[in-house]
Amino acid sequence: MKRQLTGILCGLLIAAAGTVTSYADDWTLSDNGKYWMYMYSPDDPAKDEWIEDEDKVYYVDSKGYMKTGWVTNKEDGKKYYMGPDGAMAFNTFAKDGRYVGPDGTGMEEYDKYRKAIRSELKSTSKKKSKKKDASATQTQQFFLVTDLNRDGYRDLVVMCGEQEPESLLKVAIWDAEDKKLQLAAEFDTPDQGMKSTLYLDPEGEEVWLEMTEPSGDMNLFQLRKGTTLFDNVWSFTMKMDQDGYPRYYMNEDEEDRETWELFMSRARQERGNTPVSGYLPVTDENIQVQVDLILDEEEIKMWQ
């Protein structure tokens, strides 16, 4: 039995909208053949109403034409997305790129997040282009969208290299409280052997950022669970004194070489030997695959 819907559509359990090839007998095309209309009787079309038909929800405007796209419910002021077949859509992407949640309305926070990821990737690409000159070597950019600080939200890492990721360009962490990407680390295109890499600790729980210089200097930064910034935990540097002899410093304190090398080894054990992996070349297709994800039930709760 079909019935007219009014109000907020609360509590209605409806299957996700799919492609509709035919309608029930009560649906008919308008005289111009462009729109579907829901008829109570041959001369009595539904107008400006929400219609439930076979567990799907439709909207017909003041002319009685079935609408597609975003429709505002006058009762609750919310916009609901009606798919190409006219049925209210759920857990999908609208034609304009916005995400449609489990109640048929948009999920603004998730859209804001996806826009921020794209913006950071775009700004990194522009910065690279400005620094490039005629003699510069073209390097490929790679990116990874993954949960670095184990708070449930996926973060952004951008690296560069000739044929595979070699050194970091940017690490941006999603700050759920401020609802924005927090820039945790940013580097110019590396040269003269400087290298930066992300590692997972031996337990696979926390991420370390290692920065090394051709001289052997090394800095290790830790990203702890739930945080958005790296802490500088270890610093190892070697400097030549005025007589030309090397002096070794750990966290700015001078040490003998043996002690310096011993603690550097321990620091690397704490860092772990598993580089963060899974990077893809920065292309429109890869960005769409990695950023525009259909949310599961737990992720929907996070973004609502």
Side-chain angles (χ1 to χ4, degrees):
M1 177 178 181
K2 304 174 180 66
R3 59 186 174 86
Q4 176 182 348
L5 295 187
T6 58
I8 306 179
L9 310 176
C10 291
L12 188 63
L13 300 178
I14 305 170
T19 301
V20 174
T21 57
S22 64
Y23 289 90
D25 293 339
D26 296 301
W27 290 98
T28 186
L29 283 172
S30 60
D31 291 340
N32 60 17
K34 294 182 178 180
Y35 303 97
W36 287 100
M37 304 179 69
Y38 180 78
M39 309 298 294
Y40 291 120
S41 64
D43 296 319
D44 185 19
K47 294 183 178 181
D48 195 20
E49 297 175 7
W50 294 94
I51 303 296
E52 182 187 4
D53 182 16
E54 297 184 359
D55 293 329
K56 294 182 180 181
V57 176
Y58 304 84
Y59 178 76
V60 291
D61 64 14
S62 58
K63 295 181 179 180
Y65 298 159
M66 185 184 74
K67 300 291 292 183
T68 60
W70 293 100
V71 174
T72 300
N73 186 336
K74 297 177 181 179
E75 295 292 331
D76 61 12
K78 295 181 180 180
K79 291 185 177 180
Y80 294 84
Y81 185 69
M82 320 307 289
D85 63 354
M88 186 181 293
F90 309 92
N91 293 323
T92 188
F93 289 96
K95 190 174 181 180
D96 60 12
R98 287 186 282 175
Y99 192 79
V100 184
D103 62 352
T105 64
M107 296 187 65
E108 295 182 3
E109 294 302 330
Y110 186 45
D111 290 338
K112 183 178 180 180
Y113 161 80
R114 292 186 299 115
K115 182 178 180 180
I117 294 287
R118 282 186 163 85
S119 179
E120 285 293 345
L121 285 168
K122 185 176 181 180
S123 67
T124 305
S125 179
K126 284 184 176 181
K127 184 175 181 180
K128 171 188 168 184
S129 299
K130 289 180 180 180
K131 287 181 173 292
K132 184 175 60 179
D133 57 38
S135 62
T137 301
Q138 179 71 22
T139 57
Q140 173 69 53
Q141 288 191 6
F142 301 83
F143 78 108
L144 175 65
V145 183
T146 188
D147 184 7
L148 293 175
N149 62 351
R150 300 298 189 269
D151 66 350
Y153 297 92
R154 297 184 307 140
D155 311 302
L156 175 66
V157 185
V158 186
M159 295 191 73
C160 66
E162 295 300 322
Q163 296 182 338
E164 61 183 25
E166 296 175 355
S167 196
L168 288 168
L169 290 177
K170 178 181 294 184
V171 180
I173 310 297
W174 181 254
D175 189 325
E177 184 175 350
D178 291 339
K179 297 180 174 57
K180 66 178 183 180
L181 276 176
Q182 180 79 37
L183 193 60
E186 187 174 29
F187 307 87
D188 291 332
T189 302
D191 56 9
Q192 298 181 351
M194 191 273 286
K195 188 176 181 181
S196 52
T197 310
L198 292 182
Y199 288 88
L200 283 174
D201 70 11
E203 288 74 33
E205 293 294 329
E206 294 181 329
V207 170
W208 288 79
L209 165 60
E210 179 186 276
M211 298 173 56
T212 58
E213 299 283 352
S215 63
D217 291 356
M218 180 179 75
N219 286 278
L220 283 172
F221 303 81
Q222 186 179 28
L223 181 66
R224 303 182 189 278
K225 283 185 178 181
T227 62
T228 59
L229 297 175
F230 287 96
D231 293 330
N232 190 350
V233 179
W234 296 101
S235 176
F236 299 90
T237 59
M238 188 272 288
K239 300 177 182 178
M240 305 300 291
D241 64 18
Q242 60 184 6
D243 297 320
Y245 292 101
R247 294 188 177 277
Y248 301 91
Y249 297 87
M250 181 185 70
N251 295 348
E252 300 185 353
D253 293 328
E254 187 172 359
E255 305 285 353
D256 60 75
R257 180 172 180 174
E258 182 177 356
T259 301
W260 186 79
E261 291 178 343
L262 175 63
F263 275 92
M264 182 181 286
S265 176
R266 290 180 180 177
R268 283 177 170 152
Q269 288 178 356
E270 188 176 355
R271 175 209 68 188
N273 296 315
T274 306
V276 173
S277 61
Y279 298 93
L280 295 174
V282 176
T283 65
D284 290 340
E285 181 180 2
N286 285 338
I287 292 172
Q288 182 175 6
V289 169
Q290 293 296 307
V291 177
D292 296 338
L293 299 182
I294 299 297
L295 302 177
D296 61 28
E297 186 175 347
E298 289 303 315
E299 291 168 330
I300 287 172
K301 293 178 182 178
M302 290 168 51
W303 292 109
Q304 285 181 327

